[in-house]
Every structure is written in structure tokens, then in C-alpha cells.
Amino acid sequence: METLTAPAPTYAPKDFKSDLKPIWCPGCGDFGVVQAIYRALAAIGRPAHEIAFVSGIGCSSRIPGYTTAYGFNSVHGRALPIAQGIKLANPDLLVLAAGGDGDGFSIGGGHVPHAIRRNPDITYIVMDNQIYGLTKGQLSPTSPRGLKTVTSELGSLESPVNPLMYVLAYGAPFVAQGTPADMPGLAAMIEQAIRYPGFAFVNVQSPCVTYGEDEGQVKAQKARMKSLESLGHDPTNLLAALNLAQAYGTELYTGVLYRNPSPAPTFESLVLERQHEHAGESPTRERVLDLFLPR
């Protein structure tokens, strides 16, 4: 007798959209980013209760609340350690982290290299607008030299962080850059990042309409963006990716810069393997107490 199996459920972008209305400024690039995330999650096909979305603090860090996934809006710069903890506690969950350039590369910058070297299977989406938007337009780690802001009235003296070079140099196995000026491309890129078995980094040039520079707005991005696929870039070529990443701030390359063709084991898979190796070796509760309490 033939056994019939129920077809796998299909999802639409609206299935991942919560009832909470975004309060970003009209025209903010983050509207496009969250729409791209909805599309990517629908393509992945996992139900919302199997997804955990963690963020830090900032305009972009509001995103978990705009999805139907489990959301955790943490403190400034701490999205990655919390996301790693969730993935270790429940490896079956699809885990995403989100934040801005200030959240990710200022107070949270120290967490990035350690997340990369551990290689948990999480996707980190950074909305990079080269400014602190939520706190009214201060200089951020990715602000260009010479930028005049409320905290640099005479122009910034600092060189900007290059997020693409930063993560590539630390060994990130998947690195991509997109913009809401190319919604289909951004959604496909986020989907690829989620599907990649390991730490995946997506830098999104998401313009701030209130405090951002004119040349960084969506219309300007659409005119100057260059698709890496159209340029014939090989995403498995790390040296080529590093060469392209050097153009951050001058050229807007979109697409996958690097995808390691030989993914390393994820951190959570190695932890699970270690647990199996030592199963049954744990001391009893009484023995644990003996280690610390005199009898």
C-alpha cells in the first residue's frame, strides 16, 4: 500500500510580517531590508517558530519586532554573543542577528572576530548607513573622513572602518554586500547567506534619509551600484574578494564577495560531537559537591 505524505508547507513574505508597524523615517533604507528579509525567509521555507532573530540597539535593531519570528532586542553591540548562545542551546533553530554599523563595529566590534573564528551557523545582517541615526546623527565607525556631523562639526579626522575587509581578514566564510536599491538581489543574497552552513555576513548599504549624505541615498545607489556577477567575479576567490573590498566607500559592489567552497564544521556541530564523545562521563551530583565541599 502506497504511503501518502503531506506536501511541505509553503510560505509567503507576509507570513513573516508582524502586526507591529515600523517607526523608521519615511524613505529609510531599512524598510527595504526588512522586506528583503521577509522574501528570503519565505524562500527558505522554515516556519516562524523555528527562527530566532537577535539585534542590538539602533534604528536597524528594531527589525526583530517587525517579524513573526522569536525576537530578542538586546543591548548595544551584544547581538552576536546572544545569537551564538541561542544557536548552541538549540542548534535546530535558524538564527539571524541584525544591527547597524555603529552597533556592529563600535561597541560590538570586539564580538565580530570571535564569532567568525567559532563559525556558528548564524547570519549577521548589518545595515550600514555611515551614521548614528537613532541618536541624532553622530559620527559612526564607517563615516568617511571629513564628514561633518553633530560630533564632528569641523569634519571627521578619522579613517572609516571597512566592514568588508574587516570580516574577510578575520576569515568569514561568507561575505556579501547589498542595497535596498536592488530588492530582488538583496533578498536572494540574504537567502544565500542563510543557506550557507556557517557564519555569514551581509553588509547592506541602507541609507539614512534624515542624517545621511545625498550620494548615499537609494536613488544615487541605484545609479552607481555594480553587480559582482555582471563583472564576472568568482566568489570562491578570496584574493579577488579582498581586492574588491578595498573599494568600500568609493565603489558600490553588490553581490557575494566571498563564499568559501569548503565550509568548515560549525561550532555547534563540534560541541555536539564533543558531548557525544563524553556522554556518560559526567559525575553524579554528589560527586560534583564533593569537589567543592569538605566531607
Side-chain angles (χ1 to χ4, degrees):
M1 182 177 179
E2 184 180 355
T3 302
L4 299 177
T5 57
T10 58
Y11 297 94
K14 63 180 178 61
D15 295 322
F16 299 95
K17 182 179 180 180
S18 75
D19 294 331
L20 191 63
K21 302 300 180 185
I23 59 171
W24 295 314
C25 301
C28 174
D30 292 356
F31 282 101
V33 180
V34 75
Q35 291 296 327
I37 290 171
Y38 295 152
R39 294 186 189 183
L41 292 176
I44 293 295
R46 295 279 295 273
H49 70 269
E50 294 181 2
I51 303 168
F53 210 156
V54 187
S55 68
I57 294 294
C59 296
S60 54
S61 292
R62 298 180 184 277
I63 274 188
Y66 303 144
T67 76
T68 52
Y70 286 113
F72 194 117
N73 189 203
S74 71
V75 295
H76 201 200
R78 306 299 182 242
L80 283 179
I82 294 170
Q84 291 173 81
I86 291 172
K87 189 65 178 179
L88 281 175
N90 189 346
D92 292 332
L93 286 176
L94 189 162
V95 180
L96 301 96
D101 48 289
D103 188 81
F105 296 105
S106 180
I107 191 170
H111 292 296
V112 177
H114 300 293
I116 291 171
R117 71 185 181 87
R118 293 184 187 112
N119 193 38
D121 186 13
I122 63 177
T123 299
Y124 187 31
I125 303 169
V126 170
M127 280 137 278
D128 180 7
N129 57 17
Q130 297 87 49
I131 203 78
Y132 279 104
L134 184 66
T135 47
K136 308 300 181 280
Q138 296 94 334
L139 203 65
S140 91
T142 58
S143 297
R145 187 192 296 272
L147 184 68
K148 294 182 179 180
T149 73
V150 293
T151 53
S152 56
E153 292 185 352
L154 301 179
S156 172
L157 298 174
E158 302 173 359
S159 295
V161 166
N162 181 329
L164 303 176
M165 288 290 287
Y166 191 95
V167 297
L168 284 168
Y170 275 116
F174 184 100
V175 179
Q177 180 168 253
T179 165
D182 175 20
M183 282 290 294
L186 182 58
M189 186 185 311
I190 294 172
E191 180 188 347
Q192 288 184 62
I194 294 171
R195 292 188 186 278
Y196 187 83
F199 185 86
F201 174 78
V202 180
N203 196 64
V204 185
Q205 294 290 332
S206 180
C208 175
V209 293
T210 303
Y211 301 106
E213 298 294 284
D214 290 342
E215 61 268 24
Q217 302 305 314
V218 169
K219 186 176 181 180
Q221 287 182 349
K222 197 173 187 67
R224 70 186 188 91
M225 66 183 185
K226 298 177 182 178
S227 164
L228 293 173
E229 185 177 3
S230 68
L231 296 175
H233 172 61
D234 176 8
T236 65
N237 188 329
L238 177 57
L239 292 179
L242 286 163
N243 185 51
L244 289 165
Q246 292 181 77
Y248 173 85
T250 57
E251 298 283 0
L252 180 54
Y253 292 123
T254 62
V256 179
L257 275 90
Y258 183 61
R259 182 193 298 109
N260 188 328
S262 302
T266 62
F267 190 56
E268 59 274 13
S269 68
L270 293 175
V271 168
L272 188 60
E273 184 179 312
R274 180 69 56 82
Q275 289 173 337
H276 287 160
E277 287 175 359
H278 296 276
E281 295 180 10
S282 300
T284 63
R285 180 176 180 275
E286 290 74 16
R287 177 57 185 142
V288 170
L289 293 176
D290 285 343
L291 298 174
F292 297 96
L293 299 175
R295 291 289 184 180

